Amino acid sequence: MAETAAPPRRKRLRRQPMTRVDTAWLRMERPTNPMMITAVLVFTERMSVEALRALVDTRFLAYARFRQKAVDATTGATWIEDGHFDLDWHVRRAALPGRATVSSAAEEKRALEAFTGELASTPLDPGKPRWQFHLVEDYAGGSALVARIHHCYADGIALVQVLLSLTDTERHPRPAETLPQAWLKADGAGVERRVNAVARYKKLGGQVLDRGMAMYRDPTLANMLAREGGEIARELLYALSLSDDPPSLLRGELGVSKRVAWAEPLCLDEVKAVGRAFDCTVNDVLMAAAAGALRGYMRERGTDPDGMTLRATVPVNLRPLEHAKKLGNHFGLVFLDLPVGEANPARRLERVAACMRELKGSRQAIVAFGLLAALGMAPQSAQGIALDLFSRKASAVATNVPGPQQPLYLAGCALREMMFWVPQTGSIGIGLSILSYDNRVHFGLVADARLVPDPDAAIAHFRREFDALLYLAMMGDWSQALDAEAAEAMLD
């Protein structure tokens, strides 16, 4: 009797444990805040979905992580290879809703913004690797790409570098050519100090979290922590002692729909000129303009913001950018004051710059990284308490990522614009995004539709606020740095 052939052995799928910080971001997923980084890339030429799939197959999937799905369990989260991976599901052809009635470039832009908002509101399928590319093959004479990638894969800074790795510096590059790393900002010793400190503070994460939760339940323990001293204790005490952000139309109960809008790009040289005139950084100028835009929007909605200061949580990179493509989450968070109650644009800029200088010398970002590491393995109840605690202290998340200052091409198509948004956490419903590319600065906003149903109205104030700073810079005395008093005299 012939022997029965043994059934083929089932291929064992590779598993890898997820880091604690990445696990924390996986578990932050909420119906009101899908934990996705959403990006929009606009091209001057039409791109086919076939060309995009071929590029994604060779370059994006060179990162093995993007063939893996995230699986959470009581014992911890794990990366597992998707045995039924389907590239066609992840790279999809899309059409803008209402395209037949679009009659102008402005309406077409609003249609893309609405489409992006719908995608930003829709969670990724947890049964598959959590990323998707949606290509609008015909947009504004060219094409537009909306990319969604879950935060558990990497932070926004790393994922922007991953997306840029799909591009070339020539329309038809030579096969052996690699994209120069010229845009990667040399962070120098400052980042190295942060990177070297991460391991030490990460080990203290669990202890810090335990004390932080105890302080949350019994504020009198803050005195004990203060007596113990130490830099990490002082930074934790400062973060926990911050007052809640004041009530405003930018805060409240969140819904499940997002709205997205972006401004026409600014000239980076003009932003630098304003920074030189006021003796501050490009980032200071842009965040001051963003604060002014929120002020203008609040006044337009019938709210008097005078005297009000809101906060934004700002991600801080904890590794050199050239290491960002290793994926994972390697950033901390700091609280930045947004003086929306200040009417004088120059004084608003001075206050933002002063807060930025103070934050650069603090350890807030390291403390936050340690807390995130601890949260990744903490009970669900502790995670909820910590997220609620920190989200009540800010009204927005603000990101600023330096991009390449040279033209780029993707699948042979020239990249014209690039925007991205990181998810918000807890009850935070506003996200501000700044990205510089090819000597232009792109500013965008994602908002909870219940709080800010018309983000395009808020975005419209951004250009006006920057133009006010540019006017003051051009009219001022270039022999010395402008100050708020001189600017106020010019405005009178």
Side-chain angles (χ1 to χ4, degrees), residues 141-159:
S143 299
L145 173 64
V146 183
R148 300 185 299 151
I149 308 174
H150 200 280
H151 210 315
C152 66
Y153 284 88
D155 55 57
I157 294 171
L159 291 176

Side-chain angles (χ1 to χ4, degrees), residues 343-408:
N344 183 337
R347 194 176 303 279
R348 196 184 307 131
L349 176 54
E350 284 185 352
R351 288 181 57 185
V352 168
C355 186
M356 285 282 198
R357 286 193 296 271
E358 185 176 342
L359 289 174
K360 286 176 183 176
S362 79
R363 295 281 184 175
Q364 273 190 45
I366 301 293
V367 171
F369 184 87
L371 286 172
L372 285 170
L375 278 175
M377 300 306 291
Q380 192 75 25
S381 58
Q383 291 179 18
I385 291 172
L387 288 177
D388 176 66
L389 173 65
F390 278 91
S391 66
R392 290 205 324 261
K393 299 179 185 300
S395 297
V397 175
T399 55
N400 184 359
V401 174
Q405 300 309 311
Q406 62 196 102
L408 298 178

Side-chain angles (χ1 to χ4, degrees), residues 4 22 27 34 101 184 383 419 452 455 485 490:
T4 304
D22 295 345
R27 292 176 174 174
T101 62
L184 295 181
Q383 291 179 18
M419 287 78 62
V452 182
E485 285 72 20
M490 284 187 281

